[in-house]
Amino acid sequence: MKILILSAQSVLGRAVTGELASDHELRLLETEPIEGPPGTQVMIGDPLRAETLPAALAGVDAVIHNGELPLTPPADDAAKLDWYTRGTYDLMAAAAEAGVKRFIYCGTLHLFDTYPEDTYITEYHEPFPPPAGERMWRYLGELTVREFVRDHAITGTS
């Protein structure tokens, strides 16, 4: 399977890449030059900007958007919010148009940090993230994925 991994230099990106490199053909997308495992293709560009996406998505079977900001992150909070929401939507739209069938978005379990330990959380539980910052932005990215897959021919997993 050919998999595109975004923000591949993050801790999570390196872990995912390390696990998948031996069994899959990987394409890594990052804002600055990085070195991936042998046999991986590394592309430079903003992972959530439309002009980067057609080449990055060509021939890809699945996308892993690990929810981490790239090495060169957006400058301010408003731009980061835009990156997580509109950027994720644009990425999914480009992926669906390119024929990608699987999209994986890695949110954050830190959303559950504020709940008491005895809280029972199921797949129907709705988190209550703080109203600003990275936890909220990543959660909004998850919601973007959830809403997008309702109307498009692509599966989304958070």
Side-chain angles (χ1 to χ4, degrees):
M1 179 181 299
K2 185 179 274 189
I3 303 170
L4 173 66
I5 301 174
L6 283 71
S7 300
Q9 194 58 23
S10 68
V11 172
L12 180 58
R14 287 192 311 269
V16 168
T17 299
E19 281 294 316
L20 298 177
S22 63
D23 297 325
H24 300 282
E25 187 178 338
L26 302 183
R27 182 177 295 162
L28 311 179
L29 183 58
E30 188 55 86
T31 55
E32 298 176 21
I34 62 170
E35 191 168 324
T40 58
Q41 179 186 7
V42 177
M43 298 182 74
I44 308 303
D46 188 332
L48 299 186
R49 294 296 172 231
E51 61 274 2
T52 305
L53 299 177
L57 292 164
V60 167
D61 301 305
V63 173
I64 299 176
H65 175 5
N66 67 35
E68 298 282 340
L69 289 170
L71 287 173
T72 307
D76 58 34
D77 285 354
K80 289 174 184 170
L81 174 62
D82 185 63
W83 190 88
Y84 276 105
T85 54
R86 184 175 21 192
T88 299
Y89 182 92
D90 290 347
L91 173 62
M92 291 197 74
E97 186 174 317
V100 176
K101 297 295 182 200
R102 296 179 182 156
F103 189 93
I104 299 166
Y105 181 90
C106 303
T108 174
L109 291 177
H110 291 292
L111 291 172
F112 303 111
D113 286 353
T114 58
Y115 293 96
E117 284 188 32
D118 62 349
T119 301
Y120 183 66
I121 298 173
T122 70
E123 64 273 16
Y124 301 108
H125 178 76
E126 297 199 17
F128 186 67
E134 186 175 353
R135 289 183 191 174
M136 175 59 87
W137 303 332
R138 288 176 80 156
Y139 179 62
L140 292 173
E142 289 181 23
L143 295 179
T144 300
V145 172
R146 183 182 78 183
E147 295 305 313
F148 189 91
V149 299
R150 290 180 177 186
D151 294 324
H152 298 85
I154 189 169
T155 62
T157 303
S158 290

